[in-house]
Amino acid sequence: MSARGPSFFDYTRAELVAGLFVILGLGGLGYLSTSIGGLQVLPRDAYHVTARFSNVGDLKGRAPVKIAGVTIGRVESIHLAEFVAEVELGINRGVHLPKDTIASISTAGLLGDAYVALSPGGADVDLKEGERIAQTEPALNMADLVGRAAFGASSTPASKDPNNDTTKDPKEGPP
Amino acid sequence: MDDSSPQAPPARLLGWIGRGAFRFVGQSGRMTLFLGLMARQIFRAPLRVLEIISQVEFIGAQSVGVVVLSAVFTGLVLALQGYNVLVRFGSENLVGSLVALSLIRELAPVLTALMVSARAGAAITATIGNMAVTEQLDALRSIAVDPCHYLAMPRLVASLIALPLLTALFSLAGIAAAYVFGVSVLGLDGLAFMSNVRSSVEWSDVSIGLWKGLIFGVVIAWISTFRGFQASGGARGVGLATSRTVVETAVLVLCGDYVVTALLS
C-alpha cells in the first residue's frame, strides 16, 4: 500500500479524491434534475381532477394551480377531448375542493406564464379523484382584449379628437 | 523555380489541393475507425478499474477548481448583461430563468468541455504522444498489452463519467453565483429568482445538457488519445499533436453543440 502513495484505510489518495468528485457531482446532478429541473423520482402525493376549457391559451404542462395565489398543485397534462381542451390537474392531498369550484386560466402579470386559478365554491361535497370541475373560464386572449378596447372605443361616432373622445365622455361624466 | 519538379503554378496549386483533400479524407477515416476500435475496448476484459479511477481523479476531480471558477464568472456576466437589458422592461426577475436556461442548455456543456480539453485533453495527448515517440507503445505491444485497451479505454470511460458531472457542477456554480450577485448587488428578490429558475427549467433542458456532456466526453477522450497515438517525430511532434488536440476538440465541440441542439430540441 505504501508504494501507491499515502493511504487512509487502504484507499489511495486518488481513489478517495475520485470518489469524492463522483459523489459531489452526482449530488449536484441530482439537485439539478429534481429541484431545479422538476424531475419526479417519487410520485407526488396528489389526487387528480380534470377540467375542460374552450381555450387554454398558452398554458403549459407543469404550470402551477393556485387558490388565492397560493400554489396547491400542478397541471399534469393537456389534451384535446371532443374539441375542447381537457386539462388534468394534480392537486396536493390535504387540499379539499368543493364540487362547485370554478377553474379559470390567468396570467401572472402582463408577460408572465399562464396558470390555473381555482375559486372554491360553497358545496358540502368535495371533488374526488378523477372527477371533473364543471365550471370553467377560458384563457383571456390578450390580443382580443387590446383589440376590443382600442377598436371598440373608436367605433363610436364622435371619434375625431381622441383627447375629447376617451377622457371626457359628456354622457357619463359626473356633473 | 528551384523546386525539383518544374511545374506551372496552377498545376502546383491543384496538386496541393488534391493532397490536402486526400489527407483530410484519410485522416477522417482513420479517426472514425479509431473511435470504433476504442469503443469496442470497453466490452473487453479486463475492465481496468484502478486505471479508470485514477483517470476519473485526473480528468474529473482535478478539473473541479477551474470549472467552478469559470462557471462563477460566466454566471456573473450573464446576470449582469441580462439585468441591464431586462430592467428596461421592468422584468428583471426573469434574470433567473435567463441565467439558468442559457447555462444548463448551452454554456455549461460547451465551456466545461473546452476547459477540460485544454486541461486534461492536452495532458493526455502529451502523455501518450511521449510514449509513442519513445517507442513505449511498441514495448507494450511486445508484452501482449493492447495500448488501445490499456491507455485509451480507461480515459474514454473516465471522461464519460466525469464530463456530465462537471457540467452539472458548472451549471450549479453559475446559477449560485448569479443568485448571490443578483440578490446582494442588483437588489433582486432571492425567492422570486429561485422560483423563476424552477418554473422555467424543465427536465428536458437538464437532459439536453447531460447528453451534451456525454457526447463531449467522448470527443475529448477520442481526439486526445488519437492525437497521442499518432504523434511522431520527437519532442516537436508531441507539441504539434498537443496543439492539434486542443484545436480539433474545440472545433468539434462547437460544431457538435449545434448538431445536438438541432437534433434534440
Side-chain angles (χ1 to χ4, degrees):
Chain A
M1 272 302 138
S2 58
R4 285 156 68 185
S7 73
F8 308 90
F9 306 107
D10 272 4
Y11 295 107
T12 61
R13 198 185 143 277
E15 283 171 328
L16 290 171
V17 173
L20 195 68
F21 163 70
V22 169
I23 291 165
L24 200 75
L26 283 179
L29 193 59
Y31 177 75
L32 202 66
S33 314
T34 52
S35 179
I36 291 183
L39 183 74
Q40 302 222 329
V41 186
L42 302 169
R44 217 156 38 87
D45 195 19
Y47 67 101
H48 300 88
V49 297
T50 60
R52 290 188 170 182
F53 295 92
S54 62
N55 181 10
V56 287
D58 55 355
L59 187 74
K60 295 183 186 72
R62 294 218 309 131
V65 177
K66 298 181 182 183
I67 293 179
V70 180
T71 302
I72 52 128
R74 297 215 164 271
V75 171
E76 307 261 313
S77 70
I78 302 169
H79 53 264
L80 198 64
E82 295 165 12
F83 297 116
V84 294
E86 185 165 86
V87 178
E88 195 182 338
L89 309 173
I91 309 291
N92 294 350
R93 232 172 260 285
V95 178
H96 299 289
L97 298 173
K99 260 228 147 71
D100 54 349
T101 296
I102 303 172
S104 56
I105 295 178
S106 318
T107 313
L110 202 58
L111 297 168
D113 289 334
Y115 66 93
V116 176
L118 300 180
S119 16
D124 295 331
V125 194
D126 287 341
L127 282 167
K128 290 184 200 68
E129 167 79 38
E131 286 189 325
R132 187 190 303 163
I133 297 176
Q135 299 182 64
T136 61
E137 288 167 8
L140 287 177
N141 188 334
M142 202 45 97
D144 267 6
L145 218 61
V146 172
R148 221 176 296 161
F151 300 111
S154 65
S155 65
T156 51
S159 61
K160 280 166 195 160
D161 191 348
N163 283 333
N164 284 343
D165 183 36
T166 52
T167 53
K168 293 181 209 160
D169 196 339
K171 285 170 210 159
E172 286 176 22
Chain B
M1 278 299 132
D2 52 343
D3 214 339
S4 57
S5 56
Q7 287 169 325
R12 202 186 301 168
L13 182 70
L14 280 178
W16 183 76
I17 292 173
R19 270 195 298 280
F22 267 99
R23 192 182 303 141
F24 180 73
V25 173
Q27 281 286 322
S28 310
R30 196 179 282 176
M31 280 169 80
T32 313
L33 289 178
F34 178 77
L35 180 64
L37 200 70
M38 190 164 68
R40 217 166 47 207
Q41 306 296 327
I42 298 177
F43 306 103
R44 269 184 49 193
L47 193 56
R48 303 197 189 277
V49 178
L50 278 180
E51 187 61 19
I52 291 175
I53 289 174
S54 83
Q55 288 300 324
V56 168
E57 194 259 339
F58 176 68
I59 299 173
Q62 290 187 26
S63 301
V64 168
V66 71
V67 160
V68 167
L69 189 71
S70 42
V72 164
F73 284 96
T74 310
L76 290 182
V77 84
L78 276 176
L80 196 55
Q81 292 280 22
Y83 179 81
N84 283 339
V85 175
L86 289 170
V87 77
R88 293 182 208 170
F89 307 106
S91 36
E92 60 266 28
N93 278 327
L94 290 176
V95 167
S97 72
L98 175 97
V99 171
L101 280 179
S102 39
L103 275 175
I104 290 174
R105 291 182 64 106
E106 291 296 334
L107 292 173
V110 170
L111 291 179
T112 306
L114 294 181
M115 297 311 292
V116 172
S117 96
R119 221 206 103 258
I124 290 171
T125 306
T127 310
I128 299 181
N130 204 7
M131 295 174 83
V133 299
T134 53
E135 291 165 2
Q136 291 181 53
L137 297 184
D138 296 330
L140 280 175
R141 281 193 200 96
S142 74
I143 54 167
V145 173
D146 184 358
C148 196
H149 188 250
Y150 181 65
L151 296 170
M153 185 276 286
R155 288 170 169 83
L156 176 66
V157 176
S159 91
L160 275 175
I161 296 171
L163 258 284
L165 301 182
L166 287 172
T167 303
L169 287 179
F170 192 110
S171 300
L172 282 181
I175 294 171
Y179 175 87
V180 171
F181 182 69
V183 170
S184 60
V185 181
L186 300 176
L188 301 177
D189 181 56
L191 279 175
F193 185 97
M194 279 322 285
S195 87
N196 190 247
V197 168
R198 287 210 171 89
S199 66
S200 61
V201 178
E202 311 242 332
W203 163 242
S204 63
D205 301 316
V206 179
S207 79
I208 282 186
L210 280 186
W211 277 112
K212 285 182 178 173
L214 285 171
I215 291 167
F216 297 160
V218 174
V219 168
I220 290 172
W222 172 35
I223 304 291
S224 58
T225 50
F226 177 76
R227 282 295 162 212
F229 282 127
Q230 289 284 303
S232 63
R236 194 169 163 277
V238 176
L240 208 64
T242 308
S243 80
R244 271 192 177 168
T245 292
V246 176
V247 172
E248 285 172 3
T249 311
V251 169
L252 268 183
V253 162
L254 292 171
C255 297
D257 183 50
Y258 170 74
V259 174
V260 176
T261 307
L263 286 182
L264 286 187
S265 55

